[in-house]
Amino acid sequence: MSDLSQPLLDKENLDRSSVEPIIPRRSKSSSWSVFQLVSAAVIGGLITTVLHRCIPVSSKAGSIQQEVHAETVPMCPSTDALPIIAPRTNIWKNLDLEEALDVRAWLSDPERGLNLTHAQGASPSDNYIQLVEVAHPPKSQALKYLQDETPLDRYAHAIIAHGGKDVVVDYLVGPLPISENTTFRPRSENYHNPVPLNAHILLNWTMLAERFATIIAPIDPVTRDLFNGSILDGTLQFAGIAPTSYDGKWRRTWGQLRRADPGSWLQPLDMYFYVDMSGNDMSQYSVLKAVYEGKMYDGLDDLVAAWKEGHLTKSPPSSYEWATRAIRGKMRDLDDRAGPRSVHFDGARYRFDEKEQYVTWMGWAFYVGFERDMGVHLWDINFRGERIIYELSPQEAMAQYSGSDPHQGNSVWLDRTFGMGGTVRDVILGYDCPHDALLLSATTHERGTAVQRQGICVFERESGRPLSRHTGRAKNEMGAVKGYELVVRSVSSVGNYDYIFDYTFQLDGTIEIRVSASGYLQGGYWHEGDDDYGHRIHERNMGSLHDHVMNFKVDFDVAGTQNSFMAVSLEMEDKEAPWFDDDWGTTRHQQKIVRRILEEESLLEYPHNMEGAYVILNQNATNAWGNHRGYAVHPGPLCHLTNLDSKRTENSVNWAKHHLAVSKRKDDEPTSSSMWNMNLPGAPPVNFYKFFDNESIVQEDLVLWINLGTHHIPRAEDTPNTLTNVATSYVLLTPWNYNDHDVSIESRNSVLLNKKGGWVIEEQSISSATCSPPRPPKLAYRDGEAWNEDGKAINEDVYALISDVGTPLVAKVGAFNGRGEL
């Protein structure tokens, strides 16, 4: 097979040695006039006519003196990704705006008989399109297309809420573009259509807020007296929980009151309501129970009566500054200086096809896809000309809480419901990603279309340590290989938590999958005795114990699609041999390797004390030494779900109850979860255990389902925000006899040292150029771009208007902020 990472354009156009130093761009879409280029060069030359070199002075002075050199230093080469033409069209790329508009218009035609209403104004009893998105082709067809461009039809899928029928249906629409041959049908093979409407959390939040304002009005005098705040004037918030249903027969949530100050997630109040939101008639929604100071009341009337009788204690006043991200505390020594940053003195080392979202770097090549449910997906991942992985994609992210109150003790979040792709926002350059990172758009088509022009970043970095090294004396024995990595990153802000998704590619063929969490804790109200469920983090605030588990799908193709799965264990043996020294006895107690090919689909745990490994391999392909070529799963810090017997996760998160699993790949088992699983633990559309029906997995097309996660015991240092250095989990997918040797030895960014009298240093003539990097631009930030279902541009906040987590609410009620918060 050809090396897909090699340039596919004229060398004349790609040869960086002929590129004149220019000022790197800040926007791919901007163009520079001749006047601008000349002006920039002149200004850049004036700025960089001096080179600063720090030299130590007398130890008595105890300072650093700068020596100024009056020599012209050129600007560093552009860090723009170099161009490349993808070998094939990206068949997994999401619909563009025009395609999405065409699909919506076609479905809305009366000829379809769907009687659709625009989603922004729809009530629960209406029919409306929630989402349109690309539908992935069957793998067999995709591989034929990748091999010889066999024609491949393009399809979309559309999720429609049928309010009058109390169901939600996922339809397949195509082929595209729309023509007389286009048809639609339910995708029952994927999600076991239809889904009960009561499992559909994505309601019209404006209407729901108006109804909730009416329901809650009787206790407005109570909250003003007890908390000096009101839901109606926006000084208090109502925060619901999930799951809101067990099997779709009802929809109810325990909600907690919070102060609507900055950092509201950390400022709960000790008042809770059990709200019934079943069915599509909002006039029937009501409060069934209330709890205050640990006592339950039969509805709002009972609570108001207790207040009038003076049985309710006023909540003491509180501050919120401690819960914000505002800088406070004494400045540390030298913190008035900017910290170090990475500089590309020799320009970018990766290539990018913007149209096809195709990236190559150091032998790696892959396509980038993006979806509403879980964000970034990577497709057709090749290394050194061979496909290793067909699909690498996040599947679900869950958090299950513990506590003594109705809110914390009943919370189980499955964030696919809210759309981890739909909650991706532009990265903060210089903080989330380097200033010169490659920026990709993130597009979703939910109740309209939203585009985050800087939602995904791609960048190369130094790992901070050599990938390999040795100090020796023999010829060609001493040296090191620099540790460089390519990172694909996005950040999803789902309610209180921000999840940083990293896919990191390394020179030896290893891929790291990592998730790091930050943002606010879902704080609880502190009572004496609550230390069984967390820690007190402020006057009346606690951080509640919870588990995070994230699931990933890895569709490996190791030397082809026919693979097997091997369990490797380290076991002890007593070994005797005639040459064993009598001083130590004639028997040696030692480890040995035991290899076992699994015959059937399996749910698995990592070996105790990591005494073993799991390897996906091809029994029909060997390296030069006769070893079966494979890839191993090497876990970092991670966990699986602790609470295995909760009714709230009965069958909706079976994937989370094990470290990993291996199954035979099927087109009708595309995901381990669905956007409706959260609210259907008793009857989930996707029950992961049903994937495992004792089928053979010997030399079959296999999928690994891999979990990351943490047991989060919150501490005071989790305020105001959780820290990514602790709240992180990762796994490495690493070659296991896949190659004949460590292929990173190919890297020219390496050094050899040989002793020939003195030390002779060989660095392949690759060294950083002397050039001046541009000053990082002043930080600017914006929200994304949005269009409604008719294609009209929206100039207001995309998060509020388009995002899965809700449309704007009436001013007197407040704003919806994800995960059920009003």
Side-chain angles (χ1 to χ4, degrees):
M1 299 178 65
S2 63
D3 187 347
L4 296 181
S5 69
Q6 296 303 309
L8 301 178
L9 295 179
D10 289 340
K11 182 179 185 297
E12 179 179 342
N13 295 328
L14 298 179
D15 186 358
R16 295 201 337 273
S17 65
S18 64
V19 176
E20 290 295 324
I22 61 174
I23 296 178
R25 62 89 178 100
R26 288 316 323 142
S27 171
K28 293 198 304 267
S29 62
S30 64
S31 60
W32 289 67
S33 67
V34 174
F35 174 77
Q36 287 173 312
L37 286 171
V38 173
S39 299
V42 172
I43 295 171
L46 291 174
I47 292 173
T48 59
T49 54
V50 292
L51 175 66
H52 297 282
R53 181 161 58 100
C54 296
I55 60 173
V57 296
S58 167
S59 59
K60 293 182 179 180
S63 63
I64 301 294
Q65 177 180 330
Q66 293 184 337
E67 181 179 316
V68 179
H69 295 261
E71 61 182 85
T72 301
V73 181
M75 295 295 291
C76 291
S78 169
T79 55
D80 282 357
L82 298 171
I84 193 171
I85 297 175
R88 297 285 186 269
T89 298
N90 186 344
I91 54 178
W92 307 279
K93 187 172 65 174
N94 205 354
L95 308 177
D96 60 29
L97 175 61
E98 293 302 320
E99 287 179 308
L101 290 174
D102 288 346
V103 171
R104 288 197 195 96
W106 187 82
L107 289 171
S108 299
D109 190 304
E111 188 176 338
R112 310 287 92 77
L114 294 172
N115 189 28
L116 297 177
T117 299
H118 280 182
Q120 277 85 2
S123 72
S125 60
D126 290 327
N127 303 335
Y128 62 91
I129 301 172
Q130 177 199 328
L131 175 72
V132 294
E133 200 164 63
V134 71
H136 300 150
K139 182 178 179 180
S140 58
Q141 296 180 21
L143 293 184
K144 289 180 180 178
Y145 172 78
L146 293 173
Q147 181 176 350
D148 56 20
E149 289 191 283
T150 300
L152 185 65
D153 287 331
R154 184 168 167 84
Y155 283 82
H157 77 101
I159 295 174
I160 298 178
H162 294 274
K165 297 180 180 179
D166 286 341
V167 295
V168 181
V169 181
D170 189 5
Y171 293 95
L172 186 69
V173 183
L176 303 179
I178 297 295
S179 70
E180 61 183 12
N181 297 321
T182 300
T183 61
F184 76 112
R185 64 170 178 81
R187 286 209 305 171
S188 56
E189 70 274 17
N190 281 13
Y191 291 117
H192 316 292
N193 279 333
V195 174
L197 192 68
N198 279 328
H200 195 48
I201 196 171
L202 310 172
L203 308 171
N204 186 313
W205 295 101
T206 301
M207 293 182 179
L208 179 60
E210 291 171 347
R211 174 56 188 163
F212 188 75
T214 301
I215 295 173
I216 214 73
I219 67 160
D220 192 57
V222 180
T223 62
R224 291 181 186 274
D225 178 49
L226 298 181
F227 311 121
N228 193 30
S230 168
I231 293 177
L232 302 184
D233 67 10
T235 55
L236 300 181
Q237 294 175 342
F238 175 88
I241 62 159
T244 59
S245 186
Y246 172 71
D247 55 9
K249 294 178 182 177
W250 42 264
R251 178 169 51 213
R252 297 169 187 156
T253 185
W254 271 107
Q256 180 181 47
L257 290 189
R258 293 180 181 146
R259 297 198 182 278
D261 297 321
S264 62
W265 288 95
L266 294 180
Q267 303 197 57
L269 299 170
D270 197 19
M271 182 174 282
Y272 313 87
F273 305 102
Y274 194 41
V275 182
D276 191 329
M277 303 180 295
S278 303
N280 58 21
D281 184 355
M282 284 190 171
S283 67
Q284 299 302 308
Y285 295 179
S286 62
V287 174
L288 304 179
K289 303 174 186 176
V291 172
Y292 185 59
E293 297 181 313
K295 182 178 180 180
M296 191 173 74
Y297 298 89
D298 294 328
L300 297 184
D301 290 343
D302 196 15
L303 179 66
V304 171
W307 169 69
K308 289 181 177 179
E309 294 170 5
H311 298 320
L312 306 185
T313 305
K314 288 186 178 183
S315 179
S318 62
S319 63
Y320 65 83
E321 289 81 4
W322 67 276
T324 75
R325 292 190 54 85
I327 296 173
R328 53 191 180 273
K330 182 181 178 181
M331 186 172 71
R332 301 183 184 185
D333 182 37
L334 299 182
D335 196 29
D336 56 338
R337 297 184 177 185
R341 65 184 177 97
S342 177
V343 176
H344 294 257
F345 287 105
D346 208 18
R349 302 204 308 163
Y350 47 80
R351 303 183 187 275
F352 179 56
D353 182 332
E354 182 175 9
K355 179 182 177 183
E356 302 303 338
Q357 303 286 282
Y358 178 75
V359 179
T360 70
W361 174 79
M362 296 294 137
W364 289 101
F366 53 87
Y367 293 89
V368 180
F370 191 83
E371 299 180 10
R372 173 265 179 203
D373 279 12
M374 293 302 297
V376 173
H377 290 42
L378 301 180
W379 297 91
D380 193 33
I381 300 174
N382 279 244
F383 183 58
R384 301 172 77 242
E386 291 186 273
R387 182 174 57 255
I388 293 172
I389 294 173
Y390 174 73
E391 176 188 358
L392 171 53
S393 58
Q395 297 292 297
E396 185 63 274
M398 72 163 295
Q400 182 169 12
Y401 287 76
S402 297
S404 61
D405 64 61
H407 190 270
Q408 302 294 81
N410 290 319
S411 291
V412 181
W413 300 112
L414 274 65
D415 286 330
R416 188 179 188 122
T417 298
F418 304 99
M420 299 198 80
T423 58
V424 163
R425 293 294 168 267
D426 279 6
V427 297
I428 306 174
L429 285 176
Y431 295 86
D432 295 328
C433 310
H435 291 97
D436 54 4
L438 171 66
L439 302 172
L440 282 65
S441 293
T443 300
T444 54
H445 304 287
E446 185 169 24
R447 304 185 180 192
T449 294
V451 178
Q452 301 296 142
R453 298 293 181 189
Q454 301 179 3
I456 307 165
C457 67
V458 180
F459 57 93
E460 185 179 8
R461 70 182 178 194
E462 285 190 274
S463 66
R465 60 185 181 276
L467 183 58
S468 67
R469 75 169 317 282
H470 178 64
T471 298
R473 292 276 177 168
K475 181 177 175 58
N476 292 340
E477 178 179 80
M478 183 174 179
V481 174
K482 288 188 178 181
Y484 289 111
E485 303 172 336
L486 187 79
V487 181
V488 180
R489 174 174 294 168
S490 65
V491 184
S492 295
S493 300
V494 191
N496 55 316
Y497 268 113
D498 290 47
Y499 295 97
I500 302 172
F501 287 86
D502 283 351
Y503 303 93
T504 301
F505 297 86
Q506 302 179 7
L507 295 172
D508 67 323
T510 292
I511 302 173
E512 179 190 86
I513 307 170
R514 180 183 291 265
V515 179
S516 307
S518 189
Y520 285 103
L521 297 171
Q522 178 181 293
Y525 192 91
W526 174 262
H527 297 94
E528 292 298 328
D530 275 347
D531 49 1
D532 284 348
Y533 309 109
H535 287 112
R536 185 180 183 181
I537 57 176
H538 206 63
E539 295 295 331
R540 290 172 297 280
N541 313 81
M542 71 174 292
S544 298
L545 170 66
H546 56 284
D547 276 358
H548 290 282
V549 190
M550 285 72 67
N551 187 239
F552 289 82
K553 177 182 182 180
V554 187
D555 182 356
F556 270 109
D557 287 346
V558 177
T561 58
Q562 307 305 303
N563 292 164
S564 297
F565 195 72
M566 180 171 67
V568 179
S569 60
L570 303 181
E571 300 180 9
M572 302 306 299
E573 68 170 2
D574 289 326
K575 187 76 172 179
E576 294 188 6
W579 53 81
F580 283 170
D581 194 325
D582 288 342
D583 289 348
W584 298 99
T586 59
T587 301
R588 178 182 295 174
H589 192 61
Q590 64 182 8
Q591 291 186 95
K592 69 175 182 178
I593 302 171
V594 176
R595 301 170 180 86
R596 179 170 61 92
I597 298 294
L598 301 190
E599 299 288 335
E600 296 180 346
E601 297 174 313
S602 301
L603 301 157
L604 302 163
E605 315 302 335
Y606 289 118
H608 172 71
N609 197 35
M610 297 311 300
E611 294 172 3
Y614 289 115
V615 182
I616 188 166
L617 51 81
N618 191 325
Q619 291 182 279
N620 295 327
T622 59
N623 66 5
W625 322 119
N627 301 305
H628 294 135
R629 301 180 71 195
Y631 256 72
V633 180
H634 186 81
L638 47 72
C639 70
H640 63 65
L641 190 65
T642 306
N643 186 349
L644 304 180
D645 300 313
S646 170
K647 189 173 183 179
R648 290 172 176 79
T649 58
E650 189 171 78
N651 284 309
S652 56
V653 297
N654 287 333
W655 53 267
K657 299 176 181 179
H658 310 270
H659 283 139
L660 77 163
V662 55
S663 67
K664 183 176 179 180
R665 189 199 182 280
K666 298 178 182 177
D667 286 327
D668 59 359
E669 295 175 351
T671 59
S672 62
S673 187
S674 78
M675 70 166 67
W676 304 287
N677 266 38
M678 181 177 76
N679 292 322
L680 290 169
V686 179
N687 184 338
F688 186 64
Y689 280 169
K690 291 185 177 180
F691 290 13
F692 300 87
D693 42 14
N694 301 317
E695 289 187 277
S696 171
I697 57 171
V698 177
Q699 290 302 103
E700 299 284 353
D701 194 358
L702 303 184
V703 171
L704 300 190
W705 309 89
I706 299 174
N707 287 328
L708 305 183
T710 61
H711 302 302
H712 195 170
I713 305 175
R715 57 200 175 134
E717 288 82 1
D718 280 307
T719 62
N721 283 175
T722 292
L723 304 178
T724 60
N725 61 346
V726 175
T728 188
S729 180
Y730 68 87
V731 67
L732 301 176
L733 311 176
T734 189
W736 180 282
N737 296 309
Y738 187 84
N739 307 298
D740 299 337
H741 58 269
D742 167 27
V743 295
S744 71
I745 204 70
E746 297 167 348
S747 176
R748 269 56 176 176
N749 277 264
S750 58
V751 64
L752 276 174
L753 293 85
N754 286 295
K755 188 77 169 177
K756 296 180 180 178
W759 285 105
V760 177
I761 299 175
E762 301 175 24
E763 281 196 284
Q764 297 293 323
S765 298
I766 295 178
S767 60
S768 297
T770 299
C771 61
S772 177
R775 181 184 296 275
K778 183 177 180 181
L779 180 63
Y781 194 80
R782 62 174 187 174
D783 209 343
E785 301 168 59
W787 296 263
N788 66 21
E789 291 177 290
D790 290 333
K792 182 179 179 181
I794 297 172
N795 297 318
E796 300 179 57
D797 180 46
V798 176
Y799 186 77
L801 286 171
I802 293 299
S803 173
D804 183 20
V805 294
T807 51
L809 306 183
V810 291
K812 68 177 182 179
V813 177
F816 183 74
N817 195 29
R819 287 190 173 179
E821 183 179 84
L822 292 177

